[in-house]
């Protein structure tokens, strides 16, 4: 019943579908008797041709510039990101094959800077003779014409080649500065100059050559080969002549220049980054040294490489902007590479490096810049835990208890993030997060920060005692035992804000030295004000009010500290009075300064007038012609260039302030 229904449905569907009629001229293969049953079952079953659907392509419709929709025809633009990336790889592979056969390395490129152990090592230092000499634009054009130069020039020319064909590329340089930490590689010690050979040996060399030539002549004359050659001349006495047979000229051999052998690091200093537009990602390309692309982790040299060090990798765009991309190429940026940079050598090294790179930062970051920043930050965040104990020292994420500093301690509920072994047989040590490490200080240091330790707090740890000079015999045993116990230190959460005693009845609380400690503004007592002025203490003394000098810190010169007093602390109700007195004292000082300037000006004017009076008395009875002649004669004697005027000499005379006679007797 089911077979009949299926056959009927097949016939009905066969009527609807157009089927090609079978060719009767083609003989069907005969089936054996064993297939009769199958033919009976399949009798009446017909097959239908299924039409395959057309493949769909994701397209974009280009909008027409005409508002009415009439104008240019719309084009279908396929979004083939994968195909675009593969096309870029294929083109780079072909360009790499051409470049490695055309470009020839003939010079030495940039290398790592090394420290000198002694200043004398730099006196005889000479740079390599095959150092790269491509320093200006003309040299760069010559290198582009000849396709010869250092590996660095090869990477720069390759970057220019990619930019010329429309590929967005940027030049990447691994800077080679001096190491910021100790233990870096140093310059090799200069070799001692070879000793000059003795004069006896120099004199013996020509003698040996002369004896060798004489011996050669005798052997040639006595050899049968030489006689037979001379008999060929046809003269019976030809052998008696003493002459040398002319040697045959040497065969001309084709001269091949030996390849230049330059010993350099197997890792590049310059390479190129190409933008993969489909994935919006920068990818490295190096056709000169590594001859690879899309593999950023193979560019980092080992730490034992004295020729190359990867610590600062800067990528330069065509518009002059630059970016630090070290995290893309460093395998352990946080654990190893960061220790070679200025961030670990200086306290504010990170801020200093950001200020330096700010000059090369683009004015407006693009979406591509934001994507790259997220990529670099993610690469740093995904860095695994170090496997070496030494790498945990000063690590910004992880910390070992052995590497904690004197003023650092773990919080009580710190949870280990893992373990690490110091060697194959060493015990396992717990690894903690750096965020669980806290700064600890003694009670005295917390007090100078305006905080005090809460009562009944257990110290976070005890600092071991420092080495001290020999103790005095007068020191009590209790003090010795207390000092041997060490110094207790506390965390920030074990302290609270210090609240000094308030001002009462206008009286400011003082210590045993007669001043008040104001290390931070919060230590000013309630109901008091801190007035910072050089004459504040004098103003309070004139008013007759209670005040206390403010102790704001100490200045240490060697091992001895001196208290620094800055301003005074008075009750708040006396602030306006003290300020008024300070304003009055300022006005008095200004008046005194003006009076001193006025007296100085009057003295100078008086000196000038006295000089004019003296000049007038001297020349009062002299004729004008005689006066001019005397002045001319004086100028000739003293010299016109070096002569000083009469006015200057007269002004330099001593003025008699008491008698006002100008050096003359008053009648």
């Amino acid at each position: 019943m089911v077979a009949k229904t299926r056959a009927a449905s097949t016939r009905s569907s066969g009527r609807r579908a157009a089927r090609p009629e079978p060719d009767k001229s083609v003989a069907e293969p005969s089936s054996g008797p064993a297939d009769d049953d199958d033919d009976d079952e399949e009798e009446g079953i017909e097959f239908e041709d299924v039409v395959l659907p057309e493949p769909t392509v994701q397209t974009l419709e280009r909008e027409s510039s005409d508002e009415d929709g009439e104008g240019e025809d719309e084009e279908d633009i396929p979004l083939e990101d994968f195909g675009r990336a593969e096309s870029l790889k294929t083109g780079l592979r072909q360009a790499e094959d051409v470049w490695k056969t055309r470009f020839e390395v003939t010079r030495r490129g940039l290398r790592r800077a090394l420290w000198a152990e002694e200043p004398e090592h730099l006196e005889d230092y000479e740079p390599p003779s095959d150092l790269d000499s491509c320093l200006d634009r003309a040299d760069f054009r010559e290198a582009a014409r000849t396709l010869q130069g250092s590996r660095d020039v090869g990477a720069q020319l390759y970057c220019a080649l990619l930019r010329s064909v429309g590929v967005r590329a940027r030049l990447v340089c691994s800077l080679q500065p001096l190491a910021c930490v100790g233990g870096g590689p140093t310059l090799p010690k200069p070799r001692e100059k070879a000793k000059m050979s003795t004069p006896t040996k120099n004199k013996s060399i020509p003698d040996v050559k002369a004896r060798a030539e004489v011996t050669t002549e005798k052997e040639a004359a006595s050899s049968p080969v030489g006689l037979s050659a001379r008999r060929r001349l046809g003269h019976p006495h030809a052998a008696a002549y003493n002459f040398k047979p002319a040697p045959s000229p040497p065969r001309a051999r084709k001269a091949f220049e030996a390849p230049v052998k330059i010993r350099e690091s197997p890792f590049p200093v310059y390479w190129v980054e190409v933008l993969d537009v489909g994935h919006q990602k920068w990818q490295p390309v190096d056709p000169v040294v590594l001859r690879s692309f899309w593999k950023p982790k193979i560019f980092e040299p080992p730490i034992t490489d004295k020729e190359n060090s990867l610590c600062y990798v800067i990528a330069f765009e065509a518009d002059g902007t630059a970016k630090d991309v070290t995290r893309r190429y460093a395998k352990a940026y946080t654990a190893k590479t960061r220790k070679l940079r200025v961030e670990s050598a200086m306290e504010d090294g990170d801020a200093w490096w950001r200020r330096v790179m700010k000059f090369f930062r683009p004015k407006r970051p693009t979406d591509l810049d934001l994507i790259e920043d997220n990529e670099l930050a993610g690469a740093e965040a995904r860095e695994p835990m170090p496997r070496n104990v030494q790498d945990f020292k000063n690590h910004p994420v992880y910390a070992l208890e052995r590497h904690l500093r004197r003023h650092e301690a773990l919080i009580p509920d710190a949870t280990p993030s893992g373990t690490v072994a110091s060697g194959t047989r060493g015990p396992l040590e717990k690894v903690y997060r750096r965020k669980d490490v806290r700064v600890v200080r003694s009670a005295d240091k917390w007090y100078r920060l305006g905080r005090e330790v809460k009562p009944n707090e257990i110290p976070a740890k005890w600092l071991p005692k420092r080495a001290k000079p020999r103790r005095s015999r007068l020191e009590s045993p209790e003090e010795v035992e207390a000092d041997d116990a060490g110094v207790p230190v506390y965390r920030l959460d074990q302290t609270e804000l210090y609240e000094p005693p308030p001002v009462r009845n206008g009286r400011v609380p003082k210590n045993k030295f007669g001043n008040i400690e104001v290390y931070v503004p919060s230590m000013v007592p309630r109901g008091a004000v801190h007035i910072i002025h050089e004459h504040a203490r004098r103003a309070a003394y004139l008013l007759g009010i209670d005040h206390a000098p403010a102790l704001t810190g100490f200045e240490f010169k060697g091992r001895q500290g001196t208290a620094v007093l800055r301003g005074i602390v008075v009750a708040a109700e006396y602030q306006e009075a003290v300020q008024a007195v300070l304003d009055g004292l300022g006005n008095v000082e200004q008046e005194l300064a003006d009076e001193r300037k006025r007296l100085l000006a009057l003295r100078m004017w008086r000196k000038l007038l006295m000089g004019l009076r003296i000049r007038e008395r001297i020349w009062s009875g002299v004729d004008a012609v005689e006066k001019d002649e005397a002045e001319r004669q004086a100028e000739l004697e003293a010299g016109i260039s070096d002569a000083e005027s009469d006015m200057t000499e007269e002004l330099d005379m001593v003025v008699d302030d008491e008698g006002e006679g100008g050096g003359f007797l008053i009648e």
Side-chain angles (χ1 to χ4, degrees):
M1 185 68 179
V2 176
K4 293 180 180 179
T5 306
R6 184 181 301 171
S9 61
T10 307
R11 292 191 192 97
S12 61
S13 61
R15 296 189 189 98
R16 292 191 299 268
R19 299 188 305 274
E21 296 182 358
D23 191 359
K24 297 181 180 180
S25 62
V26 179
E28 296 180 357
S30 60
S31 58
D35 298 338
D36 295 341
D37 298 338
D38 296 339
D39 294 341
D40 295 340
E41 293 178 0
E42 296 179 357
E43 184 179 0
I45 299 177
E46 298 178 359
F47 297 94
E48 179 182 1
D49 295 335
V50 179
V51 180
L52 296 176
E54 296 181 358
T56 59
V57 180
Q58 186 178 2
T59 60
L60 283 178
E61 295 182 356
R62 180 178 296 175
E63 297 181 359
S64 176
S65 59
D66 193 356
E67 296 180 357
D68 299 335
E70 299 178 0
E72 298 179 357
D73 297 336
E74 297 179 354
E75 297 179 3
D76 295 338
I77 305 175
L79 298 178
E80 300 177 352
D81 295 342
F82 180 78
R84 187 180 300 177
E86 290 299 320
S87 300
L88 180 62
K89 289 182 180 180
T90 303
L92 291 175
R93 189 177 294 107
Q94 296 175 359
E96 177 186 340
D97 295 339
V98 174
W99 194 257
K100 68 183 180 183
T101 57
R102 293 290 186 87
F103 187 80
E104 182 181 1
V105 178
T106 59
R107 311 290 292 181
R108 184 185 298 273
L110 184 65
R111 58 182 296 182
R112 184 178 184 180
L114 305 177
W115 288 100
E117 295 182 354
E118 299 293 339
E120 292 77 10
H121 295 173
L122 297 176
E123 295 178 357
D124 300 334
Y125 175 77
E126 295 182 0
S129 59
D130 55 352
L131 196 63
D132 191 5
S133 59
C134 185
L135 303 177
D136 53 5
R137 184 176 298 180
D139 297 338
F140 189 76
R141 289 177 176 175
E142 180 65 20
R145 187 183 63 83
T146 59
L147 290 180
Q148 291 181 351
S150 64
R151 304 187 310 181
D152 305 343
V153 176
Q156 297 168 14
L157 291 174
Y158 189 73
C159 180
L161 172 65
L162 295 181
R163 289 176 179 175
S164 64
V165 296
V167 178
R168 186 173 177 182
R170 60 186 185 184
L171 184 65
V172 183
C173 175
S174 175
L175 306 183
Q176 304 295 320
L178 289 169
C180 296
V181 294
T186 58
L187 284 173
K189 295 182 179 180
R191 298 178 180 178
E192 297 181 359
K193 296 182 179 180
K195 297 182 179 180
M196 299 297 294
S197 57
T198 57
T200 56
K201 293 183 179 180
N202 294 338
K203 292 181 180 179
S204 62
I205 292 175
D207 298 340
V208 173
K209 290 183 178 180
R211 288 196 298 268
E213 291 178 358
V214 172
T215 305
T216 305
E217 292 177 0
K218 291 180 179 179
E219 291 178 355
S222 60
S223 62
V225 178
L227 293 175
S228 61
R230 294 187 181 98
R231 288 194 182 97
R232 292 195 191 102
L233 297 176
H235 196 279
H237 301 288
Y241 291 95
N242 187 12
F243 68 94
K244 297 180 181 179
S248 60
R251 296 180 180 179
R253 296 181 179 179
K254 188 176 181 180
F256 294 94
E257 295 182 359
V260 180
K261 295 182 180 180
I262 301 177
R263 182 181 177 183
E264 290 186 280
S265 172
F267 296 88
V269 176
Y270 281 86
W271 62 90
V272 182
E273 279 187 351
V274 177
L275 177 62
D276 185 0
V277 182
H279 298 85
Q280 291 293 298
K281 189 175 181 180
W282 291 96
Q283 299 290 356
V285 179
D286 180 27
V288 182
V289 183
L290 299 177
R291 296 176 181 177
S292 64
F293 54 88
W294 263 249
K295 297 179 181 179
K297 295 303 180 182
I298 66 174
F299 285 82
E300 183 178 11
I303 197 172
T304 56
D305 193 347
K306 291 187 177 182
E307 301 286 334
N308 194 348
S309 174
L310 191 143
C311 53
Y312 296 93
V313 181
I314 311 299
F316 294 91
E317 291 272 7
D319 57 355
T321 58
K323 177 176 287 189
D324 185 1
V325 293
T326 311
R327 291 172 288 182
R328 176 177 295 144
Y329 299 96
K331 300 176 184 177
Y333 174 80
T334 308
K336 296 182 180 296
T337 308
R338 188 174 178 273
K339 296 180 180 180
L340 303 176
R341 295 164 60 98
V342 71
E343 289 90 331
S344 300
M346 299 171 54
E347 294 182 358
D348 58 341
D350 193 7
W352 179 86
W353 180 245
R354 285 198 301 268
R355 290 196 301 268
V356 171
M357 295 304 299
K358 184 178 179 181
F359 295 100
F360 303 95
R361 190 183 308 166
K363 295 182 179 179
R364 294 182 179 179
T366 60
D367 295 341
L368 181 61
D369 296 333
L370 299 179
I371 293 173
E372 186 178 16
D373 293 340
N374 294 334
E375 176 193 352
L376 298 177
E380 183 179 0
R382 290 190 302 269
E383 184 176 332
M385 183 185 300
R387 300 180 181 179
N388 188 4
V389 175
Q390 190 64 23
D391 293 340
F392 284 96
K393 192 172 184 179
N394 298 329
H395 198 281
V397 181
Y398 302 100
L400 294 179
E401 195 169 2
R402 66 156 72 179
H403 292 154
L404 295 181
R405 299 179 181 177
R406 183 181 177 89
H407 60 278
E408 292 179 345
L410 293 169
I411 58 178
D413 55 347
T415 304
S417 300
T419 56
V420 64
S422 57
T424 56
R425 299 182 180 180
L428 294 178
E429 297 186 35
K430 296 180 180 180
V431 181
Y432 298 93
R433 290 278 181 176
R434 179 64 64 176
K435 64 180 181 180
D436 295 335
V437 179
R438 297 290 184 271
V439 177
V440 293
R441 295 183 176 90
S442 62
D444 183 52
K445 290 187 177 180
W446 280 122
Y447 176 74
R448 294 186 182 182
L449 294 176
R451 306 187 69 86
E452 62 179 352
V453 180
K454 298 177 183 179
N456 302 327
E457 284 290 340
I458 300 176
K461 68 177 183 179
W462 291 79
L463 297 181
K465 62 178 182 178
R466 295 181 181 271
K468 288 187 176 181
R470 184 183 301 175
R471 294 187 176 91
S472 174
R473 293 179 298 175
L474 303 177
E475 192 173 3
S476 61
E478 292 80 4
E479 294 179 357
V480 174
E481 293 178 0
D483 186 63
D484 291 341
V487 180
V489 290
Y490 304 89
R491 300 184 305 273
L492 177 63
D493 56 349
Q494 294 180 300
T495 62
E496 59 185 1
L497 192 65
Y498 171 72
E499 186 176 354
V503 175
R504 295 180 180 178
N505 300 327
R507 307 288 297 181
V508 180
K510 306 177 184 64
N511 56 14
K512 60 181 180 180
F513 299 102
N515 51 39
I516 183 172
E517 298 169 344
V518 186
Y519 300 112
V520 291
S522 62
M523 297 184 70
V524 177
R526 187 174 53 187
V529 291
H530 183 199
I531 300 176
I532 302 175
H533 198 278
E534 57 180 347
H535 300 303
R537 192 170 184 180
R538 180 183 176 188
Y541 179 77
L542 292 175
L543 292 174
I545 59 177
D546 184 67
H547 64 281
L551 175 63
T552 57
F554 292 89
E555 286 185 358
F556 291 91
K557 295 182 179 180
R559 300 180 61 88
Q560 190 173 5
T562 305
V564 177
L565 301 177
R566 188 181 180 189
I568 62 172
V569 176
V570 297
E573 57 265 22
Y574 301 135
Q575 181 180 5
E576 295 182 0
V578 174
Q579 192 64 41
V581 173
L582 290 176
D583 294 342
L585 293 176
N587 295 334
V588 171
E589 285 191 357
Q590 186 65 32
E591 291 178 359
L592 293 176
D594 295 342
E595 184 66 20
R596 285 193 295 268
K597 291 182 180 180
R598 188 178 66 84
L599 293 177
L600 181 61
L602 291 176
R603 184 179 300 175
M604 298 301 295
W605 278 109
R606 183 175 181 276
K607 188 175 182 179
L608 175 61
L609 293 176
M610 291 297 296
L612 293 176
R613 288 177 59 186
I614 294 172
R615 178 183 176 84
E616 184 180 359
R617 288 185 181 183
I618 292 175
W619 298 103
S620 59
V622 181
D623 190 9
V625 178
E626 185 179 356
K627 178 180 178 181
D628 295 340
E629 185 66 23
E631 290 180 355
R632 191 178 302 107
Q633 186 67 22
E635 290 179 357
L636 292 176
E637 292 178 357
I640 299 176
S641 59
D642 299 331
E644 297 181 357
S645 62
D646 296 340
M647 181 65 69
T648 305
E649 295 179 357
E650 293 167 358
L651 291 177
D652 292 339
M653 295 175 61
V654 179
V655 180
D656 187 6
D657 295 338
E658 297 180 357
E660 297 183 0
F664 297 92
L665 297 177
I666 301 176
E667 297 179 357

